[in-house]
Amino acid sequence: MKPDISLNNFMDLFPADFSEDEKARGKTLFLKKLSMVAHKWFGGKMQTLPKCGIYGFNWFNVWYTPGVSAVSTSIRDDNDTSFTLSNRGNLVAVVSNSTRVLGDGDCTPPGGLGVMEGKAMLMKYLGGVDSIPLCIDSRVREDEAEKTGIKAGKHDPQKIIEFVRMLEPSVGAVNLEDISQPDCFLVLDTLRDVCNIPVWHDDAQGTACVTLAGLLNALKLAGKKISDVKIVLLGAGASNTTIARLILADGGDPEKMIICDSRGPLHSGREDIEKDARYYRKWELCLQTNPGKISTIEEAMDGADVLIALSTPGPGTVKKEWISSMSEKSIVFVCANPVPEIWPHEAKEAGAFIVATGRGDFPNQVNNSICFPGILKGALLVRSRKITDGMAITCAHSIADYSEKKGIDPEHILVSMEDTDVFAVEAADVAMKAIDEEVARITLSWQEVYDRALADIQNARTSTRLLMDKGLIEEPPREMLEEVLDASIKAIISERESGRS
């Protein structure tokens, strides 16, 4: 069997004698290799195109000088008109210093461009939102070191804060991405306070939102309540600390929650965290959770109902015996990228009832791609000044409820990004919450937001399809896919034979 250009069949392309582990590793190799050759083929993923018509060259006198002078003076007299007289009202800046790119760590400032372009592509195709990827250099220069007190070459979070504040007049929202902790906490919390547009950290708030949505539906299937379950979170970075905060705000019991970082479970006796003011978010959770001061991951996992892992990519980070010690109908989210902390089939073998990952090539993808296009679209349409925790929780319930109406089971706890309508629904639900919380600049009805969001989403997809149909986006040669598949299969066979020798 050869790979189809849609990639709908790529999970069935590996030899029948491959083990589940070999198939999982083979799929990862295939996706990584294809990503490299496809990015080179297309020269990246995004481009800039006009949204207005050019009916003759005299129209440049309208779109540019002298006509555009009227636009400039109108915005000068009322800055809020920038949202309607320019693309600002539908434009998001995706900002990163590339210090925590997926599971690959610090990739240098330009190293995050592939991910940020991907975020921009998802935002446009799924949510009808325009965006610009901006990877910035927040490292301290030699001439700045003495003044800042930060060693040259190290990253200064204040540089990110200042960059976003300077950028604010050009965009309707900012999506922070792949900023390492503890800088990510200071950057987000500061910018949420000082900016008059939504500043959203997708790794933290987006992941927390979709994880809460998945958890709500998993608990429904397991017949358990969020207030009753014992929850273990493996990893205490931006994602899991925000996940913990949203779960607690939505009814989770802090006395039944245990959060583990690389040194073990958090609790009020963790002086190492208390002494470092940069980790104030982790210290807040130390004071709230694990009152019994459980000190090992093994003890934490014993009898746990839920494991939410966003830690070191696996496999092997999460042990099968940990899962075996969990309660009946246990729920396991292993969402490290690009490889989950344990392969889903291994978690199932260990007794897990529901297993979710961040990847779309396994059942139960719990990935922020189902969240951020819709929540940002809703915030933009009512010109929200912020995205509050209340808006994020509303979005989580919107996704969960929508998925439940569509039909859920242990292999499908959430709808996928292929469902167009979910983004328009969550946009409308989030917009209503923004209006209720009085952070919206304008008031629209639920139906108005839904209709506008859906129209923009359909327009984005129709435009992309038109470019493909006209050959303006050229289809890659089938040989490219076949060569990548052959190389991936050979690599796994070579690993197998090397292990035998």
Side-chain angles (χ1 to χ4, degrees):
M1 184 185 296
K2 295 183 178 181
D4 184 80
I5 191 65
S6 69
L7 296 184
N8 286 337
N9 68 337
F10 95 97
M11 288 185 280
D12 302 317
L13 297 175
F14 294 89
D17 66 340
F18 270 26
S19 68
E20 288 299 317
D21 183 69
E22 288 174 329
K23 288 179 182 177
R25 288 186 286 119
K27 287 190 293 183
T28 301
L29 274 177
F30 174 80
L31 293 171
K32 285 190 171 187
K33 289 176 181 291
L34 182 56
S35 183
M36 282 294 294
V37 297
H39 277 80
K40 186 174 181 180
W41 168 266
F42 287 108
K45 299 186 283 289
M46 298 302 291
Q47 63 179 338
T48 301
L49 287 170
K51 65 187 293 187
C52 63
I54 302 170
Y55 310 102
F57 271 76
N58 277 332
W59 272 92
F60 284 115
N61 298 322
V62 176
W63 300 135
Y64 196 50
T65 187
V68 78
S69 170
V71 174
S72 299
T73 54
S74 294
I75 295 174
R76 176 196 64 195
D77 296 338
D78 180 1
N79 283 182
D80 276 0
T81 61
S82 62
F83 290 99
T84 54
L85 294 176
S86 76
N87 195 40
R88 185 186 182 192
N90 195 50
L91 184 62
V92 175
V94 184
V95 176
S96 178
N97 67 350
S98 306
T99 51
R100 185 67 174 82
V101 179
L102 299 179
D104 300 315
D106 190 335
C107 288
T108 73
L113 276 171
V115 177
M116 304 317 129
E117 279 196 342
K119 186 72 65 174
M121 173 181 274
L122 288 166
M123 215 172 289
K124 182 65 173 178
Y125 196 78
L126 300 180
V129 175
D130 294 315
S131 55
I132 44 176
L134 298 170
C135 289
I136 65 173
D137 190 346
S138 62
R139 294 173 297 190
V140 173
R141 301 190 306 269
E142 289 283 354
D143 60 307
E144 299 172 322
E146 185 176 350
K147 181 180 178 180
T148 61
I150 299 173
K151 187 178 179 181
K154 297 293 184 181
H155 291 271
D156 181 359
Q158 293 298 332
K159 285 196 168 192
I160 309 173
I161 293 168
E162 186 62 18
F163 176 82
V164 171
R165 294 191 71 175
M166 293 172 67
L167 176 71
E168 180 179 349
S170 291
V171 296
V174 172
N175 184 113
L176 301 172
E177 193 81 18
D178 291 345
I179 299 170
S180 63
Q181 70 157 324
D183 291 352
C184 58
F185 303 125
L186 176 65
V187 170
L188 176 63
D189 290 342
T190 301
L191 290 172
R192 286 178 80 181
D193 285 341
V194 302
C195 288
N196 207 29
I197 58 171
V199 179
W200 159 268
H201 187 193
D202 194 42
D203 298 316
Q205 295 161 293
T207 303
C209 178
V210 74
T211 301
L212 177 58
L215 177 61
L216 291 169
N217 280 352
L219 289 171
K220 291 171 190 173
L221 292 166
K224 300 180 181 182
K225 295 181 179 180
I226 196 169
S227 58
D228 297 336
V229 292
K230 178 182 178 183
I231 301 174
V232 176
L233 296 99
L234 182 63
S239 297
N240 259 355
T241 54
T242 310
I243 290 169
R245 192 173 81 238
L246 288 195
I247 289 174
L248 294 176
D250 204 33
D253 186 346
E255 295 189 1
K256 295 177 181 175
M257 179 179 284
I258 302 168
I259 307 161
C260 304
D261 66 8
S262 59
R263 296 188 180 183
L266 307 189
H267 53 72
S268 59
R270 286 288 301 272
E271 294 182 358
D272 58 313
I273 299 173
E274 181 183 15
K275 290 177 180 177
D276 193 335
R278 299 175 303 163
Y279 290 93
Y280 61 94
R281 286 295 187 191
K282 286 176 70 172
W283 180 241
E284 288 173 0
L285 292 168
C286 286
L287 297 176
Q288 286 181 277
T289 64
N290 190 15
K293 297 184 179 180
I294 287 172
S295 60
T296 67
I297 180 63
E298 291 79 8
E299 187 180 358
M301 290 293 295
D302 186 27
D305 298 282
V306 177
L307 169 66
I308 298 172
L310 279 144
S311 56
T312 304
T317 302
V318 168
K319 311 298 182 186
K320 290 180 74 173
E321 53 266 30
W322 296 354
I323 295 174
S324 297
S325 72
M326 296 177 71
S327 70
E328 290 290 320
K329 292 198 171 180
S330 58
I331 297 164
V332 175
F333 287 11
V334 278
C335 296
N337 272 317
V339 179
E341 290 87 347
I342 184 173
W343 292 125
H345 68 271
E346 293 181 318
K348 283 279 191 176
E349 290 167 3
F353 173 54
I354 290 174
V355 181
T357 72
R359 288 174 38 162
D361 54 332
F362 295 118
N364 289 328
Q365 183 181 27
V366 175
N367 185 278
N368 43 18
S369 59
I370 198 71
C371 163
F372 71 83
I375 196 169
L376 284 167
K377 188 65 175 179
L380 287 167
L381 283 171
V382 293
R383 298 185 205 160
S384 183
R385 293 179 173 85
K386 299 182 184 302
I387 294 178
T388 65
D389 284 353
M391 291 163 68
I393 292 171
T394 294
C395 187
H397 281 267
S398 177
I399 296 167
D401 292 346
Y402 181 91
S403 300
E404 186 178 17
K405 289 174 185 175
K406 286 280 186 170
I408 57 174
D409 61 60
E411 297 286 296
H412 305 88
I413 58 175
L414 295 176
V415 294
S416 74
M417 69 177 77
E418 293 182 43
D419 192 306
T420 303
D421 211 40
V422 66
F423 299 100
V425 169
E426 65 188 81
D429 288 342
V430 165
M432 295 307 99
K433 187 64 174 178
I435 293 168
D436 288 344
E437 294 191 339
E438 299 182 347
V439 294
R441 285 183 175 86
I442 61 174
T443 299
L444 298 174
S445 70
W446 189 97
Q447 194 65 45
E448 285 175 317
V449 175
Y450 172 84
D451 289 344
R452 292 189 192 183
L454 187 60
D456 285 350
I457 294 167
Q458 291 173 336
N459 180 274
R461 297 189 181 195
T462 300
S463 298
T464 303
R465 175 53 59 186
L466 181 63
L467 291 171
M468 293 167 65
D469 290 344
K470 294 293 185 181
L472 298 173
I473 296 178
E474 189 176 355
E475 185 175 294
R478 303 299 173 100
E479 294 79 9
M480 176 192 295
L481 277 68
E482 294 168 12
E483 289 171 5
V484 169
L485 177 63
D486 289 343
S488 302
I489 291 172
K490 288 176 182 178
I492 297 300
I493 292 173
S494 178
E495 288 179 11
R496 179 198 290 175
E497 294 175 347
S498 177
R500 289 174 181 168
S501 61

